[in-house]
Amino acid sequence: ETGVTQTPRHLVMGMTNKKSLKCEQHLGHNAMYWYKQSAKKPLELMFVYNFKEQTENNSVPSRFSPECPNSSHLFLHLHTLQPEDSALYLCASSPISGTPYLDEQYFGPGTRLTVT
Amino acid sequence: AQKVTQAQTEISVVEKEDVTLDCVYETRDTTYYLFWYKQPPSGELVFLIRRNSFDEQNEISGRYSWNFQKSTSSFNFTITASQVVDSAVYFCALRGADSGTYKYIFGTGTRLKVLA
């Protein structure tokens, strides 16, 4: 596979469930990101990992728990979510080449999450 | 504070018309980077272009062109002779470089509908 992949593509979960979103990048990048995309809102950055270390947590509620075991994989563990957490969750990666100018992000197709 | 404003929520044009998508940004950083992304119905954001704050040259790529004007803090995107395949949501994004973070700020997006 190439690029950035995300699984599952669609997820429906109850508020008491625990689930995980998975992201994998095949681009040799060193930075990975989670974004939340809700209707009529800007893309919201949730977390940034740089060389497996979390460098940004954008005041995300603790019911979202990220995990980055290596530079190619990123997870988002979900538990006791609320209906307002329903959104498209996008994963992205970037090279962090040392030249920020070149660090455009490559996005996965997203996971459409519905919390019932 | 950094901010990206895309005032046009939705634009509809007839095929072959030219269309301009507006982007206005705010930042206090002296060095920053601007991006445009396309999000087709499949959900995956596709990188289109990046610009750094020191390069105000306009750019043309096929039917796409970008007009960067620091004086008005704008980075507008024009599609010439639009096609139905151009229908998508287009996002403008900003990344400041002074703080050394990798935080991207996205606008709310403009939905472009090109009618046959």
Side-chain angles (χ1 to χ4, degrees), chain B residues 4 8 13 27 36-37 47 68 73 75 77 79-82 93 100-101 103 107 109:
Chain B
V4 174
Q8 304 150 308
V13 298
T27 181
W36 274 96
Y37 286 86
F47 166 76
F68 175 31
S73 297
F75 186 42
F77 173 30
I79 301 175
T80 304
S82 60
T101 69
K103 188 171 181 177

Side-chain angles (χ1 to χ4, degrees), chain A residues 9 33 35 37 40-43 45 48 50 56 58 88 90 96 100-105 107-109, chain B residues 33 35 37 39 42-47 50-52 55 89 91 95 97 101-108:
Chain A
R9 293 295 307 276
Y33 311 75
Y35 285 89
Q37 186 177 24
K40 300 181 181 178
K41 284 187 176 182
L43 220 61
L45 178 66
V48 180
N50 191 359
E56 189 91 28
N58 204 23
L88 180 68
L90 290 162
I96 306 296
Y101 178 70
L102 300 178
D103 292 338
E104 71 269 16
Q105 296 181 316
F107 284 81
Chain B
Y33 306 93
F35 305 82
Y37 286 86
Q39 187 179 37
S42 60
E44 181 176 341
L45 272 78
V46 177
F47 166 76
R50 77 174 84 79
R51 258 292 172 264
N52 75 43
D55 182 3
V89 181
F91 291 92
R95 181 163 89 76
T101 69
Y102 292 91
K103 188 171 181 177
Y104 290 72
I105 306 298
F106 283 80
T108 50

Side-chain angles (χ1 to χ4, degrees), chain A residues 9-103:
Chain A
R9 293 295 307 276
H10 300 271
L11 177 63
V12 179
M13 60 186 288
M15 290 191 284
T16 58
N17 291 159
K18 289 184 181 181
K19 297 286 184 183
S20 295
L21 309 185
K22 179 182 176 182
C23 174
E24 184 172 0
Q25 58 95 0
H26 309 268
L27 301 167
H29 291 167
N30 294 311
M32 297 188 77
Y33 311 75
W34 278 118
Y35 285 89
K36 176 183 178 183
Q37 186 177 24
S38 305
K40 300 181 181 178
K41 284 187 176 182
L43 220 61
E44 299 173 59
L45 178 66
M46 300 175 73
F47 302 103
V48 180
Y49 277 83
N50 191 359
F51 291 97
K52 302 187 298 179
E53 299 297 320
Q54 189 180 121
T55 56
E56 189 91 28
N57 178 338
N58 204 23
S59 302
V60 180
S62 59
R63 57 185 183 269
F64 295 91
S65 174
E67 178 190 0
C68 188
N70 54 61
S71 293
S72 298
H73 294 86
L74 184 64
F75 296 90
L76 188 62
H77 304 301
L78 316 170
H79 64 98
T80 59
L81 295 191
Q82 305 297 313
E84 60 264 30
D85 297 323
S86 298
L88 180 68
Y89 288 85
L90 290 162
C91 174
S93 69
S94 68
I96 306 296
S97 61
T99 306
Y101 178 70
L102 300 178
D103 292 338

